[in-house]
Amino acid sequence: MKKILLLITIAIMTCITFGINNQIFAKDVIPNSPITNTQTIGMYQVGDDITIYKEPDENSHILYRVRWNRNNEFFPEEIGFDKFFAVFIEKKALALVNVVDYTDDWVQIVYNNATEATGWIKKDDPYKFMTWNNFYNTYGKKYGLMLLHGSPESCKNIKSETNDLGQNISTMNYPQKINLNVIRGNWALVSVMDLDRTPKTGYIRWRSDDGIRYFFPDLR
């Protein structure tokens, strides 16, 4: 009997400890393949309860009221975390949606990435909107970059200048870290630490001429 009580006590304590140390967090959303929606101009950081309007006017038709919580619940269910967010990492306090247009008081967001459907939300802070250059310069410099799966092999080429015909200095094989130094148009000056531990510095094409993004800040 004592052994049974001891086993029950251990099981209860394990469950309590597991519950404390493994809190339920909402589902992370991070791009893992080339971003082909070329109409977007940047990101906007949103809260956990926003109203999406058809037009940039509070008297216009309401398309959705979007809400979510820490228990992995998203409303409305037909949209969900993956379709709504461009980036969602709760532990880093990042909840970002794609932006296609903006005014002084409003941003037009993509509220369904699968269909590229858009609507307008009223800004609650003008500094929450970031152009792509601002986003990459902020988060790319802080966390480094990652090459998205399925990107062209040519994206691994490190060049001496911002030109597809420029000289190849080296090639990324198994990059352990891609440090971003500066964005210059569709090119990024980076310092790469490869698997061979040899540092390589030069330009990579982070975005195609028509706006497809092959690299993304390494927020994992």
Side-chain angles (χ1 to χ4, degrees):
M1 179 63 71
K2 290 183 178 179
K3 288 184 177 179
I4 294 174
L5 290 173
L6 178 61
L7 289 173
I8 292 173
T9 301
I10 292 172
I12 292 172
M13 293 304 295
T14 300
C15 289
I16 292 173
T17 302
F18 183 84
I20 292 173
N21 294 330
N22 294 272
Q23 299 179 32
I24 297 174
F25 290 99
K27 181 179 180 181
D28 284 353
V29 177
I30 305 174
N32 57 20
S33 58
I35 303 167
T36 58
N37 186 343
T38 59
Q39 304 304 311
T40 59
I41 60 174
M43 299 268 212
Y44 185 78
Q45 184 161 0
V46 293
D48 58 5
D49 188 343
I50 64 172
T51 303
I52 305 173
Y53 296 86
K54 185 176 182 180
E55 303 292 340
D57 183 339
E58 289 183 275
N59 294 318
S60 73
H61 176 65
I62 294 176
L63 298 173
Y64 286 101
R65 181 186 173 195
V66 173
R67 293 163 291 156
W68 63 91
N69 58 42
R70 291 172 61 90
N71 296 321
N72 211 22
E73 296 173 327
F74 188 102
F75 308 96
E77 292 182 359
E78 67 264 23
I79 297 180
F81 286 91
D82 285 327
K83 294 179 182 178
F84 185 70
F85 291 108
V87 172
F88 185 89
I89 307 176
E90 186 165 8
K91 288 188 287 187
K92 286 186 167 73
L94 287 178
L96 304 171
V97 292
N98 285 314
V99 174
V100 295
D101 198 3
Y102 68 98
T103 69
D104 288 341
D105 299 317
W106 295 78
V107 285
Q108 186 180 21
I109 68 166
V110 179
Y111 66 81
N112 188 329
N113 289 306
T115 64
E116 297 186 4
T118 65
W120 292 85
I121 63 174
K122 192 171 179 62
K123 292 179 183 176
D124 57 5
D125 184 338
Y127 297 103
K128 289 183 178 179
F129 170 63
M130 292 179 287
T131 64
W132 282 122
N133 276 12
N134 288 339
F135 174 73
Y136 274 75
N137 278 321
T138 299
Y139 291 101
K141 287 181 179 179
K142 183 175 182 179
Y143 296 106
L145 299 177
M146 61 178 177
L147 178 62
L148 298 174
H149 297 296
S151 296
E153 284 295 308
S154 59
C155 291
K156 297 180 179 179
N157 294 334
I158 302 173
K159 293 185 171 290
S160 60
E161 57 184 309
T162 57
N163 191 317
D164 288 317
L165 301 178
Q167 177 186 359
N168 284 346
I169 297 174
S170 188
T171 302
M172 288 186 286
N173 297 310
Y174 301 98
Q176 305 301 295
K177 181 74 172 179
I178 305 174
N179 293 309
L180 173 63
N181 299 317
V182 66
I183 293 284
R184 291 180 178 167
N186 295 327
W187 295 82
L189 179 62
V190 297
S191 298
V192 180
M193 184 63 72
D194 222 331
L195 187 62
D196 60 6
R197 311 301 295 174
T198 301
K200 306 168 182 179
T201 298
Y203 290 97
I204 57 171
R205 178 179 270 283
W206 71 276
R207 181 174 62 183
S208 70
D209 288 338
D210 55 2
I212 298 173
R213 293 178 292 284
Y214 302 124
F215 287 84
F216 202 79
D218 195 355
L219 301 168
R220 296 168 294 183

